Amino acid sequence: GIQVEQSPPDLILQEGANSTLRCNFSDSVNNLQWFHQNPWGQLINLFYIPSGTKQNGRLSATTVATERYSLLYISSSQTTDSGVYFCAVEDRGGSNYKLTFGKGTLLTVNP
Amino acid sequence: DTAVSQTPKYLVTQMGNDKSIKCEQNLGHDTMYWYKQDSKKFLKIMFSYNNKELIINETVPNRFSPKSPDKAHLNLHINSLELGDSAVYFCASSSTRNTEAFFGQGTRLTVV
């Protein structure tokens, strides 16, 4: 099945800093999503981005489907950005009915 | 107006018991899922249903039985609970037209 690798596994920032999270995947995808799991355990949709670039406030994401990677940018980080960021993909060649998740990036933003 | 809602949020039970988790979505989606998040936060698909039909059963023990009475509901029944079943279970839904998935708030199951 498709492999999803996220880096870095852990990231510690001071409030106000910028960061880039990376997601590499091993095959063509129909769907790529970024999620934020907050400290209360909720999985919050950030981006649905199988290709191209999107922006939402301080967050933006770019997926280069031909090179099989996606980047999540967080600018001017805030303590509320802390949590685990997951990349998940649905592969084009396999089943269309499941997301395969990466292991996540644990982000800690200190005041 | 929660889009995907699961009940209960927390479940503590003894080994050997049978329990159910309920999930409902009001997004008009035709596909629903159960995912399991283990103690290391890894999320893995368990089941997916499309139009009430089981599409994926990802080598889950048959003590786990999903049931989809209609397209808006997917319940998970677990028989003879074991310590290793302790995890957070997430329900999710999506549409085959736009495959963006939305997740419920999770059910933290603790087996003692």
Side-chain angles (χ1 to χ4, degrees):
Chain A
I2 195 166
Q3 306 296 314
V4 182
E5 291 186 3
Q6 291 186 243
S7 59
D10 300 277
L11 186 56
I12 300 175
L13 301 174
Q14 286 299 122
E15 208 167 18
N18 302 330
S19 61
T20 301
L21 282 56
R22 187 176 179 105
C23 172
N24 292 335
F25 45 95
S26 60
D27 210 338
S28 302
V29 297
N30 279 331
N31 174 10
L32 187 146
Q33 290 185 244
W34 283 98
F35 296 90
H36 174 213
Q37 187 166 38
N38 63 22
W40 295 271
Q42 289 178 292
L43 276 169
I44 297 165
N45 288 38
L46 297 178
F47 294 102
Y48 170 70
I49 188 165
S51 64
T53 297
K54 291 186 178 179
Q55 177 148 14
N56 185 0
R58 296 181 296 103
L59 273 59
S60 63
T62 294
T63 297
V64 183
T66 53
E67 297 188 22
R68 299 181 184 166
Y69 72 89
S70 183
L71 302 174
L72 177 69
Y73 305 96
I74 305 174
S75 64
S76 304
S77 57
Q78 301 175 357
T79 55
T80 51
D81 295 332
S82 296
V84 183
Y85 288 80
F86 289 104
C87 169
V89 303
E90 183 176 65
D91 67 273
R92 182 166 294 170
S95 168
N96 288 331
Y97 295 102
K98 68 175 185 181
L99 286 173
T100 300
F101 281 78
K103 292 185 177 178
T105 293
L106 174 59
L107 175 65
T108 303
V109 182
N110 292 321
Chain B
D1 271 9
T2 306
V4 183
S5 59
Q6 303 176 220
T7 53
K9 189 168 167 59
Y10 299 97
L11 190 49
V12 181
T13 188
Q14 290 189 319
M15 269 196 316
N17 283 351
D18 303 340
K19 289 293 177 188
S20 292
I21 307 171
K22 295 188 175 182
C23 178
E24 176 181 5
Q25 55 93 5
N26 63 6
L27 297 167
H29 288 165
D30 56 6
T31 305
M32 295 187 72
Y33 312 83
W34 281 107
Y35 285 82
K36 179 179 180 179
Q37 186 171 42
D38 63 21
S39 57
K40 295 184 179 178
K41 300 275 194 186
F42 185 59
L43 277 150
K44 191 174 184 322
I45 185 77
M46 298 174 68
F47 302 102
S48 65
Y49 271 73
N50 176 251
N51 288 316
K52 303 194 299 173
E53 183 183 338
L54 178 66
I55 302 295
I56 287 180
N57 177 343
E58 199 82 344
T59 60
V60 178
N62 56 16
R63 297 182 297 103
F64 290 78
S65 52
K67 288 223 171 17
S68 181
D70 55 56
K71 287 196 289 186
H73 295 84
L74 180 62
N75 304 322
L76 184 65
H77 188 75
I78 316 169
N79 289 329
S80 303
L81 278 154
E82 301 177 357
L83 292 176
D85 297 331
S86 295
V88 181
Y89 293 85
F90 284 96
C91 176
S93 72
S94 68
S95 164
T96 45
R97 272 197 254 174
N98 173 344
T99 57
E100 183 176 7
F102 294 84
F103 283 72
Q105 78 273 30
T107 295
R108 182 174 293 278
L109 172 65
T110 304
V111 183
V112 297

Tab-separated table of all heavy atoms in Angstrom, chain B residues 19-45:
chain	number	residue	atom	x	y	z
B	19	LYS	N	-19.599	-3.652	24.049
B	19	LYS	CA	-19.967	-2.232	24.032
B	19	LYS	C	-20.195	-1.765	22.604
B	19	LYS	O	-19.686	-2.360	21.650
B	19	LYS	CB	-18.854	-1.372	24.651
B	19	LYS	CG	-18.722	-1.525	26.151
B	19	LYS	CD	-19.938	-0.973	26.869
B	19	LYS	CE	-19.823	-1.207	28.376
B	19	LYS	NZ	-21.068	-0.848	29.086
B	20	SER	N	-20.934	-0.655	22.485
B	20	SER	CA	-21.191	-0.059	21.178
B	20	SER	C	-20.840	1.414	21.182
B	20	SER	O	-20.997	2.104	22.199
B	20	SER	CB	-22.674	-0.205	20.804
B	20	SER	OG	-23.005	-1.548	20.572
B	21	ILE	N	-20.395	1.880	20.025
B	21	ILE	CA	-20.159	3.304	19.798
B	21	ILE	C	-21.036	3.707	18.611
B	21	ILE	O	-21.082	2.999	17.597
B	21	ILE	CB	-18.682	3.603	19.458
B	21	ILE	CG1	-17.760	3.012	20.521
B	21	ILE	CG2	-18.467	5.105	19.352
B	21	ILE	CD1	-16.280	3.068	20.145
B	22	LYS	N	-21.714	4.836	18.772
B	22	LYS	CA	-22.624	5.269	17.704
B	22	LYS	C	-22.033	6.460	16.967
B	22	LYS	O	-21.322	7.281	17.556
B	22	LYS	CB	-23.978	5.648	18.294
B	22	LYS	CG	-24.703	4.476	18.910
B	22	LYS	CD	-26.110	4.841	19.315
B	22	LYS	CE	-26.844	3.605	19.814
B	22	LYS	NZ	-28.229	3.902	20.186
B	23	CYS	N	-22.340	6.545	15.674
B	23	CYS	CA	-21.866	7.667	14.855
B	23	CYS	C	-22.971	8.103	13.907
B	23	CYS	O	-23.648	7.266	13.288
B	23	CYS	CB	-20.634	7.263	14.066
B	23	CYS	SG	-20.018	8.586	12.997
B	24	GLU	N	-23.109	9.409	13.799
B	24	GLU	CA	-24.104	9.990	12.894
B	24	GLU	C	-23.478	11.163	12.163
B	24	GLU	O	-22.715	11.932	12.754
B	24	GLU	CB	-25.313	10.468	13.706
B	24	GLU	CG	-26.372	11.167	12.884
B	24	GLU	CD	-27.541	11.646	13.724
B	24	GLU	OE1	-27.490	11.530	14.965
B	24	GLU	OE2	-28.510	12.161	13.142
B	25	GLN	N	-23.793	11.308	10.883
B	25	GLN	CA	-23.323	12.489	10.143
B	25	GLN	C	-24.514	13.170	9.467
B	25	GLN	O	-25.422	12.494	8.975
B	25	GLN	CB	-22.225	12.114	9.133
B	25	GLN	CG	-22.570	11.021	8.143
B	25	GLN	CD	-23.121	11.488	6.815
B	25	GLN	OE1	-23.178	12.688	6.543
B	25	GLN	NE2	-23.529	10.555	5.979
B	26	ASN	N	-24.472	14.494	9.455
B	26	ASN	CA	-25.551	15.273	8.844
B	26	ASN	C	-25.055	16.055	7.623
B	26	ASN	O	-25.591	17.100	7.276
B	26	ASN	CB	-26.191	16.217	9.873
B	26	ASN	CG	-25.218	17.257	10.400
B	26	ASN	OD1	-24.082	17.354	9.921
B	26	ASN	ND2	-25.632	18.022	11.387
B	27	LEU	N	-24.005	15.522	6.973
B	27	LEU	CA	-23.404	16.187	5.823
B	27	LEU	C	-23.951	15.685	4.497
B	27	LEU	O	-23.519	16.154	3.444
B	27	LEU	CB	-21.881	15.990	5.864
B	27	LEU	CG	-21.192	16.621	7.075
B	27	LEU	CD1	-19.760	16.120	7.194
B	27	LEU	CD2	-21.226	18.131	6.986
B	28	GLY	N	-24.833	14.691	4.542
B	28	GLY	CA	-25.346	14.120	3.303
B	28	GLY	C	-24.331	13.250	2.582
B	28	GLY	O	-24.472	12.988	1.383
B	29	HIS	N	-23.301	12.803	3.286
B	29	HIS	CA	-22.263	11.967	2.681
B	29	HIS	C	-22.749	10.544	2.468
B	29	HIS	O	-23.663	10.074	3.155
B	29	HIS	CB	-21.012	11.960	3.562
B	29	HIS	CG	-20.269	13.248	3.536
B	29	HIS	ND1	-19.284	13.571	4.481
B	29	HIS	CD2	-20.314	14.300	2.697
B	29	HIS	CE1	-18.797	14.762	4.197
B	29	HIS	NE2	-19.406	15.226	3.131
B	30	ASP	N	-22.104	9.849	1.522
B	30	ASP	CA	-22.510	8.474	1.240
B	30	ASP	C	-21.496	7.446	1.721
B	30	ASP	O	-21.696	6.247	1.557
B	30	ASP	CB	-22.763	8.286	-0.265
B	30	ASP	CG	-21.560	8.663	-1.113
B	30	ASP	OD1	-20.479	8.965	-0.554
B	30	ASP	OD2	-21.696	8.668	-2.351
B	31	THR	N	-20.386	7.918	2.289
B	31	THR	CA	-19.336	7.008	2.760
B	31	THR	C	-18.998	7.330	4.210
B	31	THR	O	-18.841	8.502	4.568
B	31	THR	CB	-18.069	7.153	1.891
B	31	THR	OG1	-18.424	6.956	0.512
B	31	THR	CG2	-17.026	6.123	2.280
B	32	MET	N	-18.909	6.277	5.025
B	32	MET	CA	-18.562	6.461	6.441
B	32	MET	C	-17.473	5.473	6.818
B	32	MET	O	-17.323	4.412	6.184
B	32	MET	CB	-19.795	6.290	7.326
B	32	MET	CG	-20.850	7.368	7.083
B	32	MET	SD	-22.231	7.323	8.235
B	32	MET	CE	-21.454	7.937	9.748
B	33	TYR	N	-16.722	5.838	7.852
B	33	TYR	CA	-15.518	5.093	8.219
B	33	TYR	C	-15.400	4.960	9.739
B	33	TYR	O	-15.902	5.806	10.482
B	33	TYR	CB	-14.259	5.860	7.770
B	33	TYR	CG	-14.253	6.377	6.369
B	33	TYR	CD1	-14.872	7.579	6.051
B	33	TYR	CD2	-13.577	5.701	5.367
B	33	TYR	CE1	-14.843	8.083	4.752
B	33	TYR	CE2	-13.533	6.199	4.072
B	33	TYR	CZ	-14.171	7.395	3.775
B	33	TYR	OH	-14.132	7.884	2.496
B	34	TRP	N	-14.652	3.931	10.147
B	34	TRP	CA	-14.132	3.865	11.497
B	34	TRP	C	-12.611	3.780	11.420
B	34	TRP	O	-12.072	2.974	10.647
B	34	TRP	CB	-14.666	2.657	12.265
B	34	TRP	CG	-16.040	2.862	12.790
B	34	TRP	CD1	-17.198	2.293	12.335
B	34	TRP	CD2	-16.422	3.721	13.880
B	34	TRP	NE1	-18.266	2.742	13.056
B	34	TRP	CE2	-17.823	3.610	14.016
B	34	TRP	CE3	-15.732	4.552	14.748
B	34	TRP	CZ2	-18.536	4.316	14.992
B	34	TRP	CZ3	-16.436	5.249	15.706
B	34	TRP	CH2	-17.823	5.126	15.825
B	35	TYR	N	-11.958	4.652	12.198
B	35	TYR	CA	-10.512	4.641	12.336
B	35	TYR	C	-10.168	4.402	13.800
B	35	TYR	O	-10.903	4.794	14.694
B	35	TYR	CB	-9.905	5.990	11.913
B	35	TYR	CG	-9.872	6.227	10.429
B	35	TYR	CD1	-11.004	6.689	9.760
B	35	TYR	CD2	-8.719	5.994	9.696
B	35	TYR	CE1	-10.974	6.912	8.387
B	35	TYR	CE2	-8.684	6.217	8.326
B	35	TYR	CZ	-9.818	6.670	7.683
B	35	TYR	OH	-9.782	6.884	6.325
B	36	LYS	N	-8.989	3.792	14.006
B	36	LYS	CA	-8.495	3.562	15.355
B	36	LYS	C	-7.197	4.333	15.544
B	36	LYS	O	-6.311	4.272	14.677
B	36	LYS	CB	-8.244	2.067	15.587
B	36	LYS	CG	-7.711	1.715	16.962
B	36	LYS	CD	-7.517	0.212	17.083
B	36	LYS	CE	-6.977	-0.176	18.444
B	36	LYS	NZ	-6.798	-1.645	18.583
B	37	GLN	N	-7.086	5.063	16.650
B	37	GLN	CA	-5.844	5.763	16.978
B	37	GLN	C	-5.233	5.092	18.205
B	37	GLN	O	-5.837	5.074	19.277
B	37	GLN	CB	-6.073	7.248	17.246
B	37	GLN	CG	-4.763	8.014	17.435
B	37	GLN	CD	-4.954	9.508	17.490
B	37	GLN	OE1	-5.879	10.010	18.126
B	37	GLN	NE2	-4.083	10.255	16.829
B	38	ASP	N	-4.017	4.574	18.029
B	38	ASP	CA	-3.385	3.844	19.126
B	38	ASP	C	-2.664	4.797	20.078
B	38	ASP	O	-2.717	6.025	19.907
B	38	ASP	CB	-2.452	2.754	18.595
B	38	ASP	CG	-1.286	3.302	17.782
B	38	ASP	OD1	-0.948	4.498	17.937
B	38	ASP	OD2	-0.716	2.548	16.983
B	39	SER	N	-1.990	4.215	21.044
B	39	SER	CA	-1.348	5.022	22.095
B	39	SER	C	-0.211	5.885	21.557
B	39	SER	O	0.180	6.871	22.166
B	39	SER	CB	-0.828	4.125	23.218
B	39	SER	OG	0.071	3.177	22.689
B	40	LYS	N	0.321	5.521	20.388
B	40	LYS	CA	1.373	6.334	19.766
B	40	LYS	C	0.790	7.344	18.774
B	40	LYS	O	1.517	7.928	17.977
B	40	LYS	CB	2.392	5.440	19.062
B	40	LYS	CG	3.148	4.550	20.025
B	40	LYS	CD	4.213	3.745	19.316
B	40	LYS	CE	4.961	2.885	20.338
B	40	LYS	NZ	5.987	2.024	19.718
B	41	LYS	N	-0.514	7.516	18.798
B	41	LYS	CA	-1.230	8.493	17.970
B	41	LYS	C	-1.364	8.074	16.512
B	41	LYS	O	-1.781	8.882	15.687
B	41	LYS	CB	-0.562	9.883	18.024
B	41	LYS	CG	-0.486	10.488	19.395
B	41	LYS	CD	-1.756	11.194	19.719
B	41	LYS	CE	-1.586	12.099	20.927
B	41	LYS	NZ	-2.872	12.678	21.342
B	42	PHE	N	-1.001	6.826	16.186
B	42	PHE	CA	-1.089	6.406	14.797
B	42	PHE	C	-2.542	6.095	14.451
B	42	PHE	O	-3.215	5.348	15.168
B	42	PHE	CB	-0.205	5.188	14.548
B	42	PHE	CG	-0.146	4.778	13.115
B	42	PHE	CD1	0.318	5.659	12.149
B	42	PHE	CD2	-0.583	3.526	12.714
B	42	PHE	CE1	0.369	5.305	10.808
B	42	PHE	CE2	-0.537	3.161	11.374
B	42	PHE	CZ	-0.062	4.041	10.421
B	43	LEU	N	-3.016	6.647	13.345
B	43	LEU	CA	-4.392	6.477	12.886
B	43	LEU	C	-4.457	5.473	11.756
B	43	LEU	O	-3.732	5.599	10.757
B	43	LEU	CB	-4.943	7.820	12.383
B	43	LEU	CG	-5.475	8.744	13.455
B	43	LEU	CD1	-5.296	10.194	13.055
B	43	LEU	CD2	-6.949	8.441	13.693
B	44	LYS	N	-5.358	4.490	11.897
B	44	LYS	CA	-5.437	3.442	10.890
B	44	LYS	C	-6.900	3.123	10.606
B	44	LYS	O	-7.723	3.061	11.521
B	44	LYS	CB	-4.725	2.196	11.395
B	44	LYS	CG	-4.499	1.120	10.337
B	44	LYS	CD	-3.663	0.010	10.902
B	44	LYS	CE	-3.300	-1.069	9.912
B	44	LYS	NZ	-4.248	-1.474	8.956
B	45	ILE	N	-7.202	2.914	9.332
B	45	ILE	CA	-8.560	2.562	8.931
B	45	ILE	C	-8.932	1.189	9.495
B	45	ILE	O	-8.101	0.278	9.556
B	45	ILE	CB	-8.681	2.547	7.382
B	45	ILE	CG1	-10.124	2.297	6.943
B	45	ILE	CG2	-7.757	1.533	6.770
B	45	ILE	CD1	-11.026	3.485	7.070
